[in-house]
Amino acid sequence: MHLWWWTLPPELAHAEAGARSRWVWSQVRPRLAALAGIDPAALQVTRSANGKPQVPGLGSAFSLAHDDDVALLAVGAVGQLGVDVMGDRPFASARRLARRIYTAHELAQWEALDPVQQAQQLRTRFCTIEAVVKALDWRLWSALGNIHFLRQGRIARVPLKRSQLHLAGGRRGASTWAIASEGEVTECVHHAGA
């Protein structure tokens, strides 16, 4: 699995999401075109019914995520792949989100943590859920509560989609990242996105 990281220009940190997305795609298109062995102008990006970007003929799965100041592209030789990245900003309603995504036992453990640990654990779980949703090309809000995490968070089982995905993730700087893949993620090679 390969991950390319870009730091967005400071002037885009508070720009509208569309401006950030256009900048990210201006960086990602040449990388995907190089992987496909074609000119960036010839790269055709389509979208699934749920909005997932696809490149016909790429030969690898890819997934893209960006937050206020960082963008992440994952590429791998698998059928299903999703990636997400989140900065260290607070959730508007952390407790309500936690009740929606944690089991009763997990929620009790989460509530016993100090606020800093709660925020990081919730960020990690939500980021992982987003990666699973992207890998399955599913809608986020219908997925909440329907993803079961097994083997200490290394496997996501989604009964409604009859899928099981392998998970990997971590922290890089002030960002939390997660990958969901149909194949086991044995190694993640990080690249600077320049």
Side-chain angles (χ1 to χ4, degrees), residues 76-91:
V78 295
Q80 294 176 311
L81 177 65
V83 69
D84 195 49
V85 63
M86 295 182 73
D88 282 347
R89 66 180 180 283
F91 288 96

Side-chain angles (χ1 to χ4, degrees), residues 26-116:
S26 75
Q27 307 304 305
V28 169
R29 286 183 71 80
R31 173 63 48 209
L32 292 175
L35 292 170
I38 61 173
D39 183 84
L43 185 77
Q44 299 218 358
V45 179
T46 62
R47 298 220 176 239
S48 72
N50 286 328
K52 183 177 182 175
Q54 302 166 333
V55 174
L58 181 61
S60 295
F62 79 94
S63 184
L64 177 63
H66 62 86
D67 202 23
D68 292 339
D69 61 353
V70 67
L72 178 58
L73 170 68
V75 177
V78 295
Q80 294 176 311
L81 177 65
V83 69
D84 195 49
V85 63
M86 295 182 73
D88 282 347
R89 66 180 180 283
F91 288 96
S93 180
R95 191 163 307 285
R96 185 170 51 175
L97 179 61
R99 284 194 305 263
R100 182 109 191 241
I101 65 176
Y102 289 129
T103 65
H105 176 71
E106 290 171 332
L107 182 61
Q109 290 178 327
W110 180 81
E111 288 175 334
L113 299 173
D114 71 63
V116 172

Side-chain angles (χ1 to χ4, degrees), residues 8 12-24 66-68:
L8 277 69
L12 290 177
H14 300 291
E16 66 173 36
R20 287 193 305 271
S21 184
R22 285 187 295 279
W23 184 90
V24 169
H66 62 86
D67 202 23
D68 292 339

Side-chain angles (χ1 to χ4, degrees), residues 65-66 72 82-86 126-128 130-131 134 176-179:
H66 62 86
L72 178 58
V83 69
D84 195 49
V85 63
M86 295 182 73
F126 192 73
C127 194
T128 303
E130 287 248 24
K134 288 179 180 182
T176 299
W177 62 273
I179 293 177

